[in-house]
Amino acid sequence: DGKVSSVSVQKLIEQISCMNKAKMIDHVGGVEEGAYEIYNCVEKIIKQDILGCEMTDLEGKDLGNKEDSTAPEEEVFGDVLWDAHDEQEQMEAFQQASNSTCELGFEKYFERLNDLVAAPAPIPPLLVSGGPGSGKSLLLSKWIQLQQKHSPNTLILYHFVGRPMSTSSESALIIKRLTLKLMQHSWLVSPLTFDPAKLLEEFPRWLEKLSARHQGSIIIIIDSIDQIQQAEKHMKWLIDPLPVNVRVIVSVNVETCPQAWRLWPTLHLDPLKSKDVKSLISAECNSANVKLTKEQEKKLERHCRSATTCNALYVTLLGKTIACVGNTGNIDEILQQCCQCQDTVSLYRLVLRSIQESLQSDKEKGLLREILCVIGVSHNGVSESELMELYPELTSAVLASLLHSLHKMCLLTYGCGLLKFQHLQAWEMVKLEYMEAGENVISAYRQKLVEYFTMQLSQDRVTWRSADELPWLFQQQGDKQKLHKCLLNLFVSQNLYKRGHFAELLSYWQLVGKDKSSMAAEYFDSLKEYEKSSEGEESMICLADLYETLGRFLKDLGLLSQAVAPLQRSLEIRETALDPDHPRVAQSLHQLAGVYVQWKKFGNAEQLYKQALEISENAYGAEHPRVARELDALATLYQKQNKYEQAEQLRKKSFKIRQKAARQKGSLCGFALLRQRALQLEELTLGKDTPDNARTLNELGVLYYLQNNLETAELFLKRSLEMRERVLGSDHPDCAQSLNNLAALYNEKKHYDKAEELYEKALDIRRRALAPDHPSLAYTVKHLAVLYKKMGKLDKAVPLYELAVEIRQKSFGPKHPSVATALVNLAVLYCQMKKQIEALPLYERALKIYEDSFGQMHPRVGETLKNLAVLSYERGDFEKAAELYKRAMEIKEAETLLIGGKATSRHSSSGDTFSLKSALSPNALLEHGQR
């Protein structure tokens, strides 16, 4: 009933409210509704915090209504495909690396790292070396945090390499990620090659180009660089002279450092000193309320003196082992066992055996073995739900207990929801403990995963997990036949490609012995076969996506002539299955244009880009990031043709759009900045009531809204409104702003009645306080009208749509195309209310404006003719309807696009006409004629 049910729940809520990474959903109602709320919340967090997608439409500092987007999944940077999973994995790796609260005497190392940044260029990379578990990742992550705090103008790009053979150790993905992060910070969107060899070759040029655009220093940090597959070959750019404002720091294990790199300046991590050993062990013991005697402390100190027993990982694990046993067992006994261990692997073995002994049955011990082995042989880890499905006898209670122990003792960790080994030594220990029989045992566990993911695989739905694991497992097993079959599953290849795993996909094809041309032919044949079984709109849209993916893949391979056919087919399907004005059509046009640019057919490319631009502007408005994408593409095209003035104009326009978008919503790293700003703003709001503080509270509310933290946003927006009413009076325009923002928030939460009341108050204030053509008044009118329409209150929506027409007439004059669009929107509303007589003159007036503004053959004229045809059709005047529809079709057919001799439509949209387009078709007219 909306009340806290117990003290423990209250305590949990208090803990959650202090965490910036936790999200609480307050829901009263049915289970299904609650599940739906959680689903929506998680979806928004993924889109907003991880993908950086736009979730709201802001005008000034007002919060807008979230519009339903008909856009396809899009790339973050131009045509470059970005894997949110890989990015999230890096964020988590950084957080995990910086977990320790102990500094371990790192101050002297920090000074050396600071000296490197300050040293005059040119300077080679700095090598941070040490034995396994010596604290290299911890040192680098702590230093990154210090740099971010004290040198905000320094751009720090980091990459933490995980286990060898995992995705995080693939050189092409690492270089692409670093390049994209540089592009993101320099506001540059340019074509980026997907070819792994070219990508590695071009990186030094990108670094030079992008560093020149950055005002401060750039620091690139790659942790465990020696774990990268063929590190020396793929990281050749490290040997070249670096740009003057770029510094590079890489960490390596002493034993596996390439010979050529040993000549670089080196910072070697010394073994821990006695006081640091004592500090680490004490911290672990204190957290478990375990007290050691002086004698026990001395014994530990004596033990931790060799190179392999006084590194950070060994000592941390030692502390955890003692703390874990301390409350229930004999400390002296466990100390004795620990002192017999001479390195981290042997200590991990002791930890594993103590976990085994704590288990109640042989069945649980067997499950422990299975869990560790199956995680070990996987590509990137295994999820809890996958373990439960792999081992039906594994109950959630047993799994939770096992994972708790394994996580607490640094054996396993979580990365993007997958369980993986926390340290390489833990995996080495598992191999020694459970896989002494060698390759046969490893192969058997891999086969178990193969069977699991093969069973999961179905042609119409492939998860990123099956695409990540299955081809890799076949590769490891050396089963080329099954790998080949797996790659010809179009959805597996599409999944890998769309997430930017181009190099991985290419390496699989190379393994099965196929060159680029034969690979292209096989994909095309598979697609043609799949098309035969495709029926229905949803299936056709999916087919169009597959054709587009194939076309892009072939373009990236340099097979331009073969790329045109699948991209053209994708365009045809989307025009038919969706609508010629649909944003996905713009996507097809954009991709096709990209092929013509590479082909140096600039005239064809320009025509296609302009059509994609028109669709995007009509669908999203002139200041949307997708419009900026088309502007950038056109600018690059003009630059290639030496049309520098035109290119510069478009670049400036695009830059303004991107700048505004970044200010409004942040981007992949922008939300961290938003949170930082939010914390600064919170400090400012502790003062007394002033207009400035009220504005700050409003801004805070907007920031939390953008982070999708609606509960906190509501608190700040309410405080802002209350303060403004006290200080400025309830009729002040600033109060209207707060009311408008709160209304948008309630609309987002589907509390439509509250939203309606607040929008109405805001409109009342703005009507009295602002000029009749003021943008803020128009903004509130628009959103209240849309809300009325959504609530089915069409009678209340009509006067607002009429007011929107008036405002546009006052702002632009009675014959402006935007007035025509407002007239069409009002006409559509009348049609929904079955008031065709009122709608007719509005359509006719809009048609006249469009004809006078754009000419007789413009697509907007055609769309309006179609809507007029619908009205005539519904009124029974079939002859006039046929005449109008014929004119509309003539306009559509006249807008030809010559690609391979085929004519396709030029594309445009006008206002809300989408709702009527489907009502009229040639078939419908035919039926009436026959009747």
Side-chain angles (χ1 to χ4, degrees):
D1 299 325
K3 296 172 186 173
V4 175
S5 56
S6 68
V7 176
S8 59
V9 172
Q10 181 61 49
K11 191 177 176 185
L12 175 69
I13 291 169
E14 285 168 8
Q15 285 176 327
I16 288 170
S17 63
C18 298
M19 294 169 66
N20 68 349
K21 284 204 74 175
K23 173 73 181 167
M24 183 163 65
I25 300 161
D26 191 3
H27 170 71
V28 180
V31 174
E32 285 186 11
E33 287 173 16
Y36 181 72
E37 287 279 320
I38 291 165
Y39 176 87
N40 282 341
C41 175
V42 173
E43 184 180 42
K44 282 178 187 174
I45 289 167
I46 290 167
K47 284 183 177 175
Q48 197 168 320
D49 287 345
I50 302 174
L51 293 171
C53 293
E54 185 173 276
M55 294 299 288
T56 179
D57 174 26
L58 289 180
E59 186 169 317
K61 282 184 183 174
D62 283 349
L63 293 172
N65 285 332
K66 176 176 173 273
E67 298 290 339
D68 287 338
S69 172
T70 55
E73 260 184 57
E74 268 305 337
E75 306 83 2
V76 181
F77 300 104
D79 291 327
V80 178
L81 297 152
W82 178 279
D83 190 357
H85 174 272
D86 292 346
E87 188 56 32
Q88 182 67 9
E89 186 177 47
Q90 283 303 308
M91 293 178 194
E92 290 182 8
F94 173 71
Q95 287 164 357
Q96 186 187 315
S98 56
N99 242 343
S100 174
T101 50
C102 300
E103 294 296 343
L104 305 177
F106 280 166
E107 292 79 6
K108 61 181 179 183
Y109 302 131
F110 291 155
E111 286 173 24
R112 178 75 190 279
L113 290 167
N114 292 339
D115 290 343
L116 167 86
V117 177
I123 184 168
L126 177 73
L127 207 63
V128 175
S129 75
S134 55
K136 299 181 292 296
S137 305
L138 178 62
L139 167 66
L140 291 174
S141 58
K142 292 284 186 186
W143 184 71
I144 289 169
Q145 288 174 332
L146 288 172
Q147 283 292 311
Q148 287 171 336
K149 186 177 178 183
H150 299 304
S151 306
N153 291 332
T154 300
L155 172 59
I156 300 177
L157 306 177
Y158 60 78
H159 189 91
F160 287 81
V161 179
R163 207 176 80 185
M165 307 287 287
S166 68
T167 301
S168 67
S169 68
E170 288 176 13
S171 53
L173 280 176
I174 294 168
I175 295 299
K176 189 183 78 171
R177 181 177 171 270
L178 294 175
T179 308
L180 291 178
K181 299 295 269 184
L182 279 166
M183 286 168 67
Q184 180 188 354
H185 284 276
S186 61
W187 295 91
L188 184 71
V189 177
S190 297
L192 187 68
T193 179
F194 273 69
D195 188 304
K198 285 184 184 172
L199 192 67
L200 296 166
E201 184 187 314
E202 290 176 10
F203 182 68
R205 291 197 286 278
W206 276 109
L207 192 57
E208 187 77 49
K209 185 178 178 181
L210 298 169
S211 63
R213 296 168 69 102
H214 186 70
Q215 299 299 313
S217 299
I218 296 174
I219 301 171
I220 298 174
I221 295 167
I222 305 177
D223 180 51
S224 302
I225 194 169
D226 50 327
Q227 302 295 336
I228 293 173
Q229 299 158 32
Q230 296 180 292
E232 220 172 337
K233 175 187 170 186
H234 293 142
M235 296 288 153
K236 280 192 287 193
W237 61 274
L238 289 168
I239 299 167
D240 300 330
L242 297 164
V244 290
N245 61 334
V246 175
R247 300 289 180 271
V248 176
I249 301 167
V250 297
S251 75
V252 293
N253 276 333
V254 180
E255 301 88 0
T256 51
C257 177
Q259 196 61 40
W261 297 359
R262 293 175 189 263
L263 302 171
W264 293 342
T266 303
L267 171 61
H268 186 75
L269 268 60
D270 298 323
L272 293 182
K273 293 182 177 175
S274 295
K275 65 170 186 176
D276 295 323
V277 169
K278 189 175 179 181
S279 160
L280 256 180
I281 292 173
S282 296
E284 292 295 342
C285 290
N286 290 341
S287 67
N289 294 319
V290 172
K291 292 285 181 190
L292 297 177
T293 64
K294 292 283 183 188
E295 186 57 41
Q296 288 166 343
E297 284 179 0
K298 282 180 184 176
K299 191 171 185 179
L300 283 170
E301 199 179 312
R302 284 195 299 274
H303 174 60
C304 298
R305 280 181 182 167
S306 71
T308 55
T309 61
C310 63
N311 67 63
L313 176 57
Y314 184 92
V315 175
T316 301
L317 195 56
L318 186 62
K320 285 182 180 294
T321 307
I322 294 163
C324 189
V325 177
N327 284 320
T328 55
N330 187 326
I331 293 179
D332 287 323
E333 188 181 325
I334 197 69
L335 262 178
Q336 188 64 39
Q337 291 173 0
C338 289
C339 287
Q340 290 168 11
C341 299
Q342 294 306 312
D343 57 29
T344 309
V345 173
S346 57
L347 186 56
Y348 261 129
R349 185 174 260 183
L350 177 66
V351 166
L352 179 64
R353 286 179 180 167
S354 68
I355 293 172
Q356 286 172 333
E357 286 167 15
S358 69
L359 299 177
Q360 296 176 351
S361 65
D362 289 341
K363 181 184 172 184
E364 287 181 9
K365 288 174 186 175
L367 287 169
L368 172 65
R369 172 192 174 123
E370 295 296 304
I371 288 168
L372 291 172
C373 290
V374 86
I375 290 170
V377 301
S378 67
H379 188 198
N380 289 313
V382 180
S383 72
E384 288 184 36
S385 58
E386 286 165 354
L387 286 173
M388 299 276 289
E389 287 172 5
L390 279 160
Y391 301 102
E393 69 275 22
L394 179 61
T395 64
S396 54
V398 170
L399 179 63
S401 174
L402 287 173
L403 294 183
H404 173 70
S405 301
L406 294 167
H407 188 265
K408 186 172 73 173
M409 298 309 293
C410 302
L411 274 142
L412 295 182
T413 187
Y414 289 88
C416 292
L418 300 178
L419 288 156
K420 48 188 79 179
F421 287 102
Q422 196 159 330
H423 298 281
L424 202 55
Q425 294 93 319
W427 170 226
E428 286 169 11
M429 177 276 296
V430 167
K431 282 194 284 189
L432 287 171
E433 185 74 8
Y434 292 135
M435 298 181 168
E436 283 182 304
E439 198 56 41
N440 288 342
V441 180
I442 292 173
S443 183
Y445 280 108
R446 281 197 186 127
Q447 188 55 35
K448 191 169 183 70
L449 283 175
V450 163
E451 288 166 8
Y452 171 75
F453 285 114
T454 303
M455 182 186 69
Q456 268 203 346
L457 212 60
S458 57
Q459 203 178 33
D460 60 335
R461 181 153 179 83
V462 174
T463 66
W464 66 272
R465 286 291 296 133
S466 51
D468 260 4
E469 294 290 333
L470 202 52
W472 183 86
L473 287 162
F474 286 137
Q475 183 193 46
Q476 296 304 303
Q477 296 281 62
D479 194 333
K480 293 182 183 180
Q481 193 178 347
K482 285 184 179 173
L483 175 58
H484 188 202
K485 188 182 174 186
C486 180
L487 292 172
L488 286 175
N489 181 310
L490 299 165
F491 295 93
V492 169
S493 295
Q494 184 189 46
N495 193 296
L496 284 169
Y497 175 79
K498 276 197 160 186
R499 289 170 37 237
H501 292 222
F502 182 88
E504 190 181 336
L505 189 54
L506 213 53
S507 71
Y508 293 144
W509 275 105
Q510 285 164 352
L511 184 71
V512 296
K514 298 286 181 181
D515 63 12
K516 291 178 182 179
S517 294
S518 57
M519 175 179 71
E522 288 195 30
Y523 270 140
F524 206 75
D525 290 344
S526 291
L527 250 177
K528 285 287 178 192
E529 200 59 38
Y530 179 75
E531 186 169 356
K532 289 177 187 174
S533 62
S534 295
E535 290 179 4
E537 186 179 305
E538 196 176 318
S539 184
M540 293 306 287
I541 291 167
C542 179
L543 179 66
D545 289 346
L546 288 168
Y547 270 117
E548 186 192 277
T549 302
L550 177 59
R552 295 179 68 174
F553 186 49
L554 297 178
K555 182 185 80 170
D556 293 331
L557 288 168
L559 303 172
L560 302 181
S561 58
Q562 287 162 276
V564 170
L567 288 173
Q568 175 64 39
R569 184 71 188 117
S570 172
L571 174 64
E572 289 167 5
I573 294 168
R574 283 173 175 167
E575 284 190 318
T576 310
L578 296 166
D579 188 284
D581 293 325
H582 197 283
R584 282 184 189 262
V585 173
Q587 168 78 356
S588 287
L589 291 164
H590 180 94
Q591 295 303 335
L592 206 46
V595 175
Y596 284 121
V597 170
Q598 286 190 28
W599 223 344
K600 305 242 178 331
K601 294 188 177 183
F602 296 137
N604 291 26
E606 182 178 359
Q607 204 178 6
L608 292 164
Y609 278 140
K610 282 181 174 176
Q611 290 178 48
L613 176 63
E614 187 184 356
I615 293 173
S616 299
E617 283 180 334
N618 286 330
Y620 302 117
E623 294 193 330
H624 194 277
R626 289 201 177 98
V627 172
R629 182 178 86 148
E630 303 307 336
L631 291 169
D632 278 322
L634 268 171
T636 303
L637 179 66
Y638 288 143
Q639 201 165 339
K640 285 179 184 289
Q641 299 174 79
N642 301 324
K643 298 178 181 177
Y644 297 114
E645 196 175 326
Q646 286 169 277
E648 188 56 29
Q649 283 175 349
L650 293 175
R651 286 216 188 280
K652 282 179 180 174
K653 196 174 172 185
S654 165
F655 183 80
K656 283 179 183 173
I657 294 170
R658 291 184 185 284
Q659 218 171 18
K660 186 177 178 183
R663 279 200 299 270
Q664 284 180 354
K665 72 177 178 62
S667 57
L668 283 173
C669 70
F671 282 93
L673 301 175
L674 282 177
R675 291 192 188 100
Q676 198 174 337
R677 173 81 177 120
L679 289 170
Q680 292 167 353
L681 287 169
E682 283 183 64
E683 292 168 10
L684 295 172
T685 58
L686 300 173
K688 56 186 179 180
D689 287 6
T690 66
D692 281 348
N693 272 354
R695 190 176 65 250
T696 302
L697 284 164
N698 180 67
E699 192 178 343
L700 248 180
V702 172
L703 289 174
Y704 278 115
Y705 182 96
L706 290 171
Q707 294 176 60
N708 203 38
N709 190 339
L710 299 184
E711 290 76 14
T712 311
E714 184 179 354
L715 289 172
F716 282 112
L717 291 173
K718 278 182 174 176
R719 282 175 62 190
S720 170
L721 176 62
E722 288 161 6
M723 192 179 288
R724 281 173 165 170
E725 286 176 338
R726 284 196 299 271
V727 176
L728 303 168
S730 58
D731 290 337
H732 195 277
D734 283 3
C735 292
Q737 187 192 57
S738 291
L739 287 163
N740 204 87
N741 288 350
L742 266 172
L745 184 138
Y746 286 131
N747 184 49
E748 179 79 6
K749 294 172 81 172
K750 296 186 173 56
H751 297 170
Y752 298 132
D753 292 338
K754 285 184 180 179
E756 179 186 7
E757 183 187 346
L758 295 171
Y759 271 136
E760 286 172 348
K761 283 183 182 177
L763 180 60
D764 184 49
I765 294 168
R766 284 180 166 171
R767 260 182 160 158
R768 284 184 277 115
L770 303 175
D773 59 348
H774 195 282
S776 292
L777 175 61
Y779 186 80
T780 305
V781 166
K782 171 189 164 187
H783 286 294
L784 181 54
V786 170
L787 181 66
Y788 282 149
K789 201 171 169 187
K790 192 187 290 183
M791 295 170 77
K793 297 184 177 182
L794 302 185
D795 290 331
K796 293 182 88 170
V798 169
L800 293 180
Y801 274 98
E802 289 172 341
L803 182 56
V805 174
E806 283 176 39
I807 291 171
R808 290 195 189 190
Q809 286 181 154
K810 285 171 184 168
S811 300
F812 306 112
K815 295 183 179 179
H816 194 275
S818 73
V819 174
T821 302
L823 289 166
V824 168
N825 291 342
L826 179 57
V828 169
L829 185 66
Y830 278 136
C831 286
Q832 286 180 327
M833 298 169 75
K834 309 294 183 202
K835 294 184 177 180
Q836 279 81 3
I837 295 169
E838 287 90 337
L840 184 63
L842 297 172
Y843 275 131
E844 287 172 343
R845 189 179 154 202
L847 178 65
K848 180 78 170 68
I849 295 171
Y850 282 141
E851 285 178 333
D852 292 346
S853 301
F854 300 130
Q856 297 273 333
M857 298 301 287
H858 193 274
R860 292 198 178 185
V861 173
E863 294 296 346
T864 312
L865 285 167
K866 275 170 71 176
N867 287 332
L868 276 166
V870 170
L871 281 185
S872 301
Y873 176 78
E874 288 177 348
R875 293 172 67 196
D877 191 345
F878 306 130
E879 194 174 332
K880 187 178 179 184
E883 183 190 332
L884 291 165
Y885 190 76
K886 186 183 174 188
R887 269 191 67 196
M889 288 300 99
E890 283 169 1
I891 292 169
K892 192 164 192 172
E893 285 161 15
E895 299 298 318
T896 59
L897 169 63
L898 295 173
I899 298 175
K902 295 181 183 177
T904 60
S905 59
R906 187 159 178 262
H907 320 273
S908 122
S909 121
S910 54
D912 288 344
T913 56
F914 286 110
S915 56
L916 281 173
K917 284 178 190 172
S918 59
L920 187 60
S921 68
N923 292 341
L925 280 171
L926 257 175
E927 285 171 19
H928 264 280
Q930 287 164 348
R931 207 170 290 151

